[in-house]
Every structure is written in structure tokens, then in C-alpha cells.
Amino acid sequence: MAAEEEGAGMDSLSGLRMDIGNLLVFDATDPGIEEASTSSDDYDEQCLRKGARAIQALAEKLFNMPSEADKYGRLVILPPPTTKLPREKPLPKPRPPTKWEQFAQSKGIKKRKRSKLDFDEDAGEWRRRYGYKRVADERDIPVIEAKSTDEPGEDPFSNMKKEKKARIEKQEKNRLQNLKHTLKVAGKSALPSTVQLSTMALPITGSAQVPKKLTKDELGEIAGHASTATASVGKFDRKLEGEKPAKHAGKHRKFLPVVGSSKEEKQQSDKILDKVLSRHNQEIVDVNKVSDLIFAFRGLANFSHGVLGFCVGC
Amino acid sequence: MLRVVKPKTKQARRALEKRAPKIKENVKKALLLHGTSTSAVVKGVLSDLHHIKKDGGNAVHWTRKNENIRPFEPAGAAPLEFFSKKTDCSLVVFGSHSKKRPNNIVFGRFYDNHVYDFMELGVERYKSVKDHGGARKFSPQVGSKPCFAFIGEAFESDEKCRQFKEMMLDFFRGEEVDRINLAGLDRVFVCVATATKVLFRHCAIRLMKSGTKVPQIVLVDVGPSLDMVFRRNQTPGEELRKEAMRTVSKAPQKKIKNVSSDMMDGKVGRIYMPKQEVGEIALKKMKGLKRERREAAAALPDGERKDEARKKLRQNDEQ
């Protein structure tokens, strides 16, 4: 078609600038549409016409470009886009080397690739180096021979466990130090994306326990209690804008009448007793303490048996 | 005291990694919302733009009204920055309607969750997708990569038009690809600049047979069609623009395993196969073996022979 040829032939002359990587055509020589003379429908028609001409020129270029075969048809290889657009996030920053990395660099230690499987002589098969059913799992060791340096009364198995725990704690501490160093030197953006360092405020009191976070319901209850702690039980207090009415209006505790059937009182005390003596209850009764006491008592009884050799008064 | 906070589930970890800054970035997500009062036109525009961009989760459309958002004031833009951070959207379309600025649409971009630039447009004429006839046989497929046609010298000479061109490209571009199937070219955004307005059209491409390798292009308007007037705009400072445009010269190459090249053989690859138990491989049933079975059947005493043989042959035939 004449229009097609015109567009294709006068590409460089007609001032059609293309960014093929973005599939963009920019017609810089077109004067645009004059407003006074055209109606809104005419706008549409002119837009479509000019657009079609521009895209035809783009298609000329695209369909003549080198392509490669693919499962669903031919794929044209596009050049990289030329229009520069701003990024949405800053470039990832390289993080500074960790303490170990610095040490390794100074000593010239190189990472060596280890194989995933190792031969386990005891089991006589190939096992993982770490993880489930690994080569040297500490839990699989049945017997540890006593060394001359061992003190009597020490449990080597629990020692091993303690040492492992200590190693893990040390590693975590080192990792935290490395992250803090990264934060100081390179800022928050250099931290790995899945890690955050948050400040945790510890209580000034002597106990090492972290105060439990109050839930929304608990806060609401406390606020309700506080609001009614006035002489007129909060009835005539002016409320703040947006403040909701207290959840429990009126009395907070229900007491049984002093004179009445004993059935309800019996139910109440039964309920309390069940709670205290229930197996799953760890708040009212410290099961660990109780069991320790029991074993200690039993142990004492056995000891007295063993030493004296005969039953004393039993 | 500082504490390390790590995600507890793999899904959370993957979501964080997706939002992390990367060398090759994700497709920009758009947040579409409106202010305290809107008109039907504004609502329609937001809805149509959402439908164009929603494939792949690239658009978030909020339908409730949001107060105290004034993009062109530093304090008024703070809620938009917060929303951008929470939804991980670096593009925003904010619609509003007032007597002074009727049918107002503000296109905005963010860099590092801070305002990059804004562009305010007034919609003078709007024809929605529905008015054009809704989805039809040749409507463009959801999520296809669009072509762009900018017509008019104003897109180079006028500052606002230039910013508009960049915005539209950023907004609708989609993924950066290096291979494209030409049969999938099915949408165009045509923007024509007039003396005072910019005409924005979204058309479907129909590839018609022509005599040559290159098909004839026919455009069909599918909507939305917007005739817009430029109002205020805000451009980024020179430093911010420089920082946002920074690129790394070459991305680190991903390691390809088990492939090497040899002087004699060229490209050589290694395939690792598990150990095969040759004696226990399931083979196809060979018809030739049938004869052996018949012979084996022939070796049986007479009485059983016929039944056995017949049974076996029938079994073999069925298999």
C-alpha cells in the first residue's frame, strides 16, 4: 500500500524515532491534531489513522528482524531498550566482609568444596555430612571411653550437649556482631533482605524475664477497669472523641449469695480443685518442682535401704 | 540491645526477597486510589486502568475514600509514601474531583518509597471500555506487552509532554523482555498531542494479511479513551534523577553447571544418570516371544494343551 511504502521508505526522513526494545514509536514531525476544526469523533478517527501508520512502521522493522524458533512460534530477538527509566529501588549495596572473611582473606584461606556425602565406617554406608542420619551424629554414640582427665561424677554426654549449645550461642553472637558491623558501615540497605535488626528493651528490674506483650483484649479490659475507678463509677465522665464505651458495664465480679443452695458452692469449689490438680496445668502447680521432689524423696528412701541393708522400721 | 529478626516461614522469606532491591527489577506495581470526593468519570478511569494493569498482581485498586492526601504538598504526600511502602507499589494513580479541579487524575512515581515525580491531568472527555463495546473477539489479551505510539512534536519540545511520555512508558511497559512472539502484539497505547490537550487511546492491533511478510496493521479502539489537559506537575531534583537512573554496567552472570567447552568438540555437557538395573528394566512385550510360548504350550501333555494354549494366546492377543 502506498501509505505503507511511504512510511517504510521515509523512515529516517519522516522522523519516526523508535525504541524497539520498548516497542515504542515516536513521530516527532507530525504537527498533531488541530483542535478548532475537528470534532471529538474526528479526533478518534485521526488518532487511529496516525497510530496505525506509526505502528505499521514499527511492524516493518520488527518482522524483518532476526528470529529464533520456539515451541509456540518464532520469537523475535529484541534489542535492549534505549529509553532510560528511573528505578524503583536503589541498587543493592555490597556488604562489607565479615570478621571471618577478613581473616580468611589476610591468611589466604580459600573455600573448598566439600562433597555432600561421606562414608560412615560404623554404619558402612554413605551418609550426609549434616542433617537427618548424618555421619557423626552425637546422639548415635553409644559408648564414650573415659579419659584420665575426666573427673568422676561428670556426664560426658551432657557435656557434649552443653558444648554444642555453647558453640551455637557463640555463633549467634558472632553473627549478630557481623550484622551490627554491616549496619554501622554500610547502613540498613546492605543487610540481607530477610533480616532485620530490632531493638529490644529489657526491663530494669532484676528478673531476666521479658515482659509479656499485652493483647488488645487485655488492654481493653484494663482500660475499662481504670475508667470505672472513679467515685461515680465512671458514669458521669466526659468521654474523649472516638472513645468507645466500656465493655463490662456494671459489676465486674459475681459472687454467690451468702444464703442459698449449697449445690452451686460445691460446683464452684469442685471447679477450682479440678483446675489446680489437672495434668495440663502448669501455672498453678509447677510440675517440674513436684516431680523433682518426688524423685528426691524416692531416691532418699532407696539410699537409706541400700546403706543400711535391711528395712528399718518398714 | 539489638536482636536479629528473621522470617519464620519460607513463604514470608520469599515475599521479603521479592521486595528486596535487585539489579534487574520487578515490574512496577501501581496503586490506584481516590480522595474524599470523586466523580463517576474518575472512578471509571481508575477501574479501567486497573483492569489493564492487574495481570500478575501489578495493580492494587482501593475503593474507599482516603482523606488528607494532597500530592503536591510535602506533608500531604506522606500518606502516599506510606501506602507505597506497605503495598510495594512504586506507581500511584490518585483520582479526585473538586470544583476547581474537576475529574483530576494524578500519576505519580516513587523512588525508594519517596516521591519521585507527579503529573496532574484533568480528564475532559472519557469513553470507557464498556462504551466501546466491552470485551470482544479481538480484544487484547490480559497481560500482553503493549506497543507505544507518541505522535506530535510536543512530546519532545514541551516539558510536561515529555514527562507524560516517560510516565506512560513506565506505567504500561510491563516486563523487560529480549524475545517476543510477534503474534502476541495485540495492544497499542496511542498518545497524540494537540495544542492544549493530549489524547490518549488504547487500541487493539489486528494483523491483516498483506502480500508481504509484514502484515497490515489495523487499529481498533477498545478503550479507555481519555482527552486530558495538563495541570500541575512536579519533577524530581537533579540529584534524585541521577541516582534513580543509575545502572550497573554488567549484571553478574549466573553459573551454568555441567557445561564446558572443548577446542575439538565445542560445547560439551555432562549428564548424570542414576544407576540402572539392566536386568530389571521393563521392556515392551515382544510379539516374537509369543511363538516361544506356543512352543512351550506344545510341550505340555495333550489334555491340558489345548486349553492352556488357547488361554495363553488369548491373553497375549489382549495385551
Side-chain angles (χ1 to χ4, degrees):
Chain A
M1 301 200 67
E4 193 185 304
E5 281 169 11
E6 192 184 48
M10 291 173 65
D11 239 19
S12 47
L13 299 173
S14 67
L16 275 177
R17 263 178 269 161
M18 297 199 208
D19 177 3
I20 301 182
N22 275 326
L23 303 177
L24 181 128
V25 186
F26 174 35
D27 190 350
T29 54
D30 196 303
I33 298 173
E34 282 199 12
E35 286 176 34
S37 54
T38 44
S39 66
S40 51
D41 292 323
D42 219 13
Y43 277 165
D44 291 342
E45 192 229 332
Q46 283 202 35
C47 282
L48 287 188
R49 198 162 30 89
K50 294 186 186 222
R53 203 176 66 192
I55 298 297
Q56 189 68 54
L58 178 68
E60 288 284 328
K61 277 266 164 75
L62 279 175
F63 280 83
N64 287 319
M65 285 183 78
S67 60
E68 61 180 28
D70 186 63
K71 222 174 11 167
Y72 301 111
R74 293 204 73 84
L75 293 179
V76 159
I77 302 171
L78 290 176
T82 54
T83 322
K84 272 183 121 184
L85 291 170
R87 290 175 62 93
E88 61 170 350
K89 295 185 178 123
L91 286 168
K93 271 198 201 175
R95 60 171 175 80
T98 60
K99 271 186 89 175
W100 166 256
E101 281 172 358
Q102 286 173 1
F103 177 78
Q105 219 175 27
S106 67
K107 291 277 180 176
I109 301 170
K110 288 212 171 70
K111 265 192 186 180
R112 58 189 170 99
K113 182 108 173 140
R114 282 180 257 244
S115 63
K116 205 166 170 181
L117 301 174
D118 252 350
F119 191 70
D120 187 3
E121 273 90 22
D122 298 334
E125 58 171 6
W126 288 90
R127 282 186 164 185
R128 280 172 252 235
R129 266 191 61 242
Y130 56 87
Y132 181 61
K133 284 191 189 158
R134 55 180 175 269
V135 169
D137 199 349
E138 297 141 346
R139 295 174 293 180
D140 287 345
I141 300 173
V143 176
I144 302 179
E145 289 183 27
K147 288 188 285 189
S148 54
T149 49
D150 273 349
E151 284 179 30
E154 245 183 34
D155 183 8
F157 293 100
S158 58
N159 277 351
M160 274 171 62
K161 273 193 187 168
K162 277 188 211 153
E163 280 172 17
K164 179 157 184 178
K165 253 193 172 176
R167 266 182 278 140
I168 293 172
E169 266 187 55
K170 180 173 178 290
Q171 179 57 31
E172 282 303 309
K173 199 167 69 105
N174 286 348
R175 181 166 176 236
L176 184 64
Q177 291 301 321
N178 279 327
L179 288 171
K180 275 205 249 178
H181 177 69
T182 308
L183 191 69
K184 196 169 87 162
V185 168
K188 207 166 74 159
S189 56
L191 287 177
S193 58
T194 48
V195 164
Q196 282 177 351
L197 284 184
S198 78
T199 47
M200 188 172 81
L202 279 181
I204 304 170
T205 57
S207 70
Q209 266 186 338
V210 181
K212 204 175 77 163
K213 256 192 171 175
L214 286 175
T215 59
K216 191 172 157 183
D217 300 318
E218 283 176 351
L219 274 176
E221 257 186 63
I222 292 171
H225 279 294
S227 67
T228 54
T230 57
S232 50
V233 206
K235 213 167 165 187
F236 304 109
D237 287 339
R238 213 178 297 149
K239 286 208 176 347
L240 287 173
E241 202 188 292
E243 191 182 328
K244 294 185 188 145
K247 276 200 179 152
H248 294 289
K251 288 192 177 171
H252 289 280
R253 286 189 68 185
K254 188 178 166 211
F255 292 102
L256 289 172
V258 176
V259 185
S261 65
S262 60
K263 192 178 77 165
E264 284 167 359
E265 200 183 321
K266 188 175 182 298
Q267 270 182 5
Q268 213 180 40
S269 38
D270 274 342
K271 214 162 116 183
I272 295 172
L273 210 63
D274 282 336
K275 269 196 189 172
V276 171
L277 297 178
S278 81
R279 210 181 277 181
H280 302 290
N281 194 329
Q282 275 150 15
E283 285 170 6
I284 300 178
V285 172
D286 192 344
V287 183
N288 293 324
K289 265 194 186 166
V290 171
S291 58
D292 283 340
L293 271 174
I294 292 172
F295 282 123
F297 190 70
R298 276 209 203 134
L300 205 62
N302 285 341
F303 183 66
S304 63
H305 265 250
V307 162
L308 297 177
F310 55 90
C311 200
V312 178
C314 65
Chain B
M1 195 187 99
L2 283 181
R3 192 166 61 110
V4 178
V5 178
K6 304 180 285 195
K8 291 198 171 81
T9 57
K10 289 263 167 68
Q11 193 186 42
R13 192 193 170 88
R14 271 180 265 138
L16 280 176
E17 280 177 0
K18 199 172 177 199
R19 291 192 176 197
K22 300 172 202 156
I23 294 178
K24 183 169 179 199
E25 296 194 304
N26 303 331
V27 179
K28 286 193 182 181
K29 281 166 72 168
L31 173 63
L32 302 124
L33 68 165
H34 59 79
T36 42
S37 75
T38 35
S39 57
V41 167
V42 166
K43 278 193 181 166
V45 172
L46 290 178
S47 172
D48 281 344
L49 290 178
H50 171 60
H51 279 293
I52 292 174
K53 219 169 138 68
K54 80 174 176 191
D55 179 61
N58 289 325
V60 177
H61 182 35
W62 288 349
T63 44
R64 290 219 186 127
K65 67 179 181 184
N66 303 286
E67 297 177 12
N68 299 325
I69 298 184
R70 276 172 248 282
F72 291 92
E73 288 165 33
L80 286 178
E81 288 183 359
F82 175 70
F83 296 149
S84 144
K85 190 166 152 195
K86 278 286 169 177
T87 53
D88 194 35
C89 289
S90 49
L91 301 167
V92 74
V93 185
F94 175 70
S96 63
H97 178 77
S98 67
K99 214 160 165 197
K100 189 174 173 188
R101 299 196 178 94
N103 298 331
N104 203 34
I105 308 262
V106 179
F107 286 93
R109 288 186 288 186
F110 293 94
Y111 173 74
D112 196 20
N113 299 319
H114 296 297
V115 172
Y116 183 75
D117 63 355
F118 282 122
M119 161 131 271
E120 192 176 50
L121 300 151
V123 177
E124 294 207 332
R125 188 174 152 254
Y126 166 59
K127 205 170 172 198
S128 69
V129 175
K130 226 174 171 182
D131 295 336
H132 281 284
R136 284 172 289 178
K137 200 169 59 168
F138 43 79
S139 291
Q141 276 204 331
V142 186
S144 60
K145 192 159 164 73
C147 302
F148 295 89
F150 291 96
I151 294 159
E153 57 192 349
F155 284 116
E156 193 184 15
S157 52
D158 186 32
E159 187 212 329
K160 283 188 180 174
C161 281
R162 237 181 309 153
Q163 191 185 6
F164 178 75
K165 178 165 165 258
E166 209 185 272
M167 282 265 204
M168 291 296 106
L169 188 60
D170 219 349
F171 213 85
F172 294 109
R173 179 167 71 142
E175 262 186 87
E176 239 185 81
V177 289
D178 56 351
R179 305 272 192 276
I180 185 169
N181 188 339
L182 290 175
L185 273 183
D186 53 2
R187 62 170 91 220
V188 198
F189 290 103
V190 179
C191 300
V192 179
T194 65
T196 53
K197 294 197 266 197
V198 67
L199 311 174
F200 174 89
R201 300 283 180 273
H202 175 221
C203 309
I205 301 180
R206 296 187 74 187
L207 303 169
M208 312 292 255
K209 266 200 196 298
S210 73
T212 61
K213 188 165 67 167
V214 182
Q216 196 193 356
I217 304 279
V218 171
L219 298 185
V220 183
D221 206 343
V222 291
S225 307
L226 304 164
D227 291 358
M228 298 189 277
V229 167
F230 288 113
R231 289 182 186 155
R232 298 175 287 181
N233 75 329
Q234 185 181 325
T235 48
E238 198 49 50
E239 267 185 46
L240 185 57
R241 165 172 270 129
K242 258 198 202 164
E243 202 192 318
M245 295 289 197
R246 262 207 317 188
T247 48
V248 179
S249 49
K250 204 166 111 181
Q253 286 268 327
K254 257 192 146 179
K255 205 171 77 163
I256 307 170
K257 289 186 176 179
N258 294 332
V259 172
S260 59
S261 52
D262 195 7
M263 288 279 273
M264 298 283 278
D265 306 322
K267 196 169 173 186
V268 177
R270 294 193 118 191
I271 306 173
Y272 288 90
M273 287 199 60
K275 189 173 171 187
Q276 292 176 312
E277 300 286 334
V278 183
E280 288 168 27
I281 295 179
L283 295 171
K284 194 175 157 188
K285 290 259 187 295
M286 302 292 189
K287 282 205 172 165
L289 292 175
K290 265 198 209 171
R291 203 176 299 141
E292 284 175 58
R293 292 187 120 173
R294 282 191 216 177
E295 284 167 1
L300 286 172
D302 241 328
E304 309 166 24
R305 199 215 307 173
K306 269 193 186 165
D307 300 311
E308 283 292 322
R310 225 176 264 154
K311 252 195 229 168
K312 283 195 179 150
L313 285 175
R314 210 177 294 143
Q315 277 174 7
N316 283 353
D317 285 337
E318 278 169 3
Q319 278 161 2

